[in-house]
Amino acid sequence: MKTLLGRFRVLVAFLLLVLSGRARAETNPMQGQRSLPMMGAEFRFVPGTWGTYRLLDKAAGQENMMYFAVLEEVRQRKGKAYWMEIEVVSTNNPVVVTRLLVPDTGEGPGEAQKAYVQISGYRPFEVPKKYLKPSKQKSQEQVGQFERYEPAGEPKGKTIKWKGRSLDAVIVDAKDPQGQPVTVTVSEATPPLCIVNMEAPSVTMELLDWGTGARTKIQGKPVGMWRWIFGVTMQAAGEASSGK
């Protein structure tokens, strides 16, 4: 059964399957992409800001770490866009970094215009455009999707102590797009997501640290996804034939 954690995990996730004890990235490099939670217009496009989060699946007792950052501003004919990156670290899966070019709609991020993915141990690849927009005709993994929560009650302002810092925050009772109740603590002092803590029936999202000076985690020059898949396939075949 798909848990809330599956819906909350940014954008990213676990792109590898196992074959003969080794991960086969070529099987489906887009597998496992998930939406990123966002509280309405609370999102802040501040270049260089970053936050790290702990995601806890309460039912499974499984933790994952997520890093989210806003990087360079890109001026466009209509408004501005920003590069942002998400890194997911899991005990049982390789580290995955997703880099997105996303427009500022005035009410948070819009649909991703470009995206790159890098799986630990592999070169980065460019994500085809068909994976950047939801498809009503067929079910497929999407990259760069945000899941907006809407307030379901009157927000409550208060000053909180969080990780040794004093923050002006707002406690919001909200609902996700599936109608599940969510309680979110929001603070403008913790951009870019501005989410300090989130409690839902099956998952907790907790801000561990935040700051400025973020830089890209993508290493190497991206290639097209199909070229990338071909290279990984040939590498796996070579390792299999050599008995590695």
Side-chain angles (χ1 to χ4, degrees), residues 57-82:
D57 183 335
K58 297 177 182 178
Q62 181 179 357
E63 288 189 8
N64 295 280
M65 306 297 292
M66 182 184 77
Y67 166 90
F68 183 82
V70 170
L71 302 174
E72 308 93 333
E73 175 187 314
V74 178
R75 292 190 175 273
Q76 301 182 327
R77 291 182 61 185
K78 294 183 179 180
K80 301 177 183 178
Y82 294 83

Side-chain angles (χ1 to χ4, degrees), residues 108-119:
E111 291 184 346
Q113 299 170 342
K114 291 183 179 180
Y116 302 96
V117 170
Q118 184 163 32
I119 304 167

Side-chain angles (χ1 to χ4, degrees), residues 64-232:
N64 295 280
M65 306 297 292
M66 182 184 77
Y67 166 90
F68 183 82
V70 170
L71 302 174
E72 308 93 333
E73 175 187 314
V74 178
R75 292 190 175 273
Q76 301 182 327
R77 291 182 61 185
K78 294 183 179 180
K80 301 177 183 178
Y82 294 83
W83 284 106
M84 55 183 63
E85 289 187 3
I86 304 138
E87 179 185 64
V88 174
V89 180
S90 172
T91 303
N92 301 319
N93 296 277
V95 177
V96 179
V97 178
T98 302
R99 178 176 172 85
L100 306 164
L101 180 62
V102 178
D104 180 358
T105 67
E107 296 182 351
E111 291 184 346
Q113 299 170 342
K114 291 183 179 180
Y116 302 96
V117 170
Q118 184 163 32
I119 304 167
S120 178
Y122 297 89
R123 66 194 304 181
F125 64 86
E126 183 172 2
V127 176
K129 290 186 180 298
K130 71 175 184 178
Y131 292 106
L132 301 182
K133 293 184 179 182
S135 174
K136 295 181 180 180
Q137 285 72 35
K138 56 184 178 180
S139 177
Q140 62 184 26
E141 294 83 357
Q142 299 296 318
V143 176
Q145 303 301 306
F146 289 82
E147 190 165 81
R148 186 184 297 270
Y149 302 144
E150 298 299 337
E154 190 68 26
K156 304 176 182 67
K158 63 184 299 185
T159 299
I160 62 173
K161 284 285 187 180
W162 194 262
K163 308 303 179 184
R165 308 187 213 184
S166 180
L167 300 174
D168 291 330
V170 176
I171 314 299
V172 183
D173 290 325
K175 290 187 177 180
D176 68 12
Q178 291 74 37
Q180 294 285 343
V182 181
T183 300
V184 187
T185 302
V186 179
S187 176
E188 293 184 4
T190 62
L193 282 179
C194 295
I195 295 176
V196 177
N197 189 63
M198 180 179 68
E199 291 287 345
S202 298
V203 68
T204 295
M205 178 174 171
E206 176 189 8
L207 178 65
L208 299 179
D209 198 8
W210 65 98
T212 59
R215 297 184 178 183
T216 182
K217 290 178 176 284
I218 296 287
Q219 298 180 356
K221 184 178 180 180
V223 297
M225 190 177 79
W226 303 116
R227 178 182 172 186
W228 181 88
I229 291 174
F230 178 78
V232 173

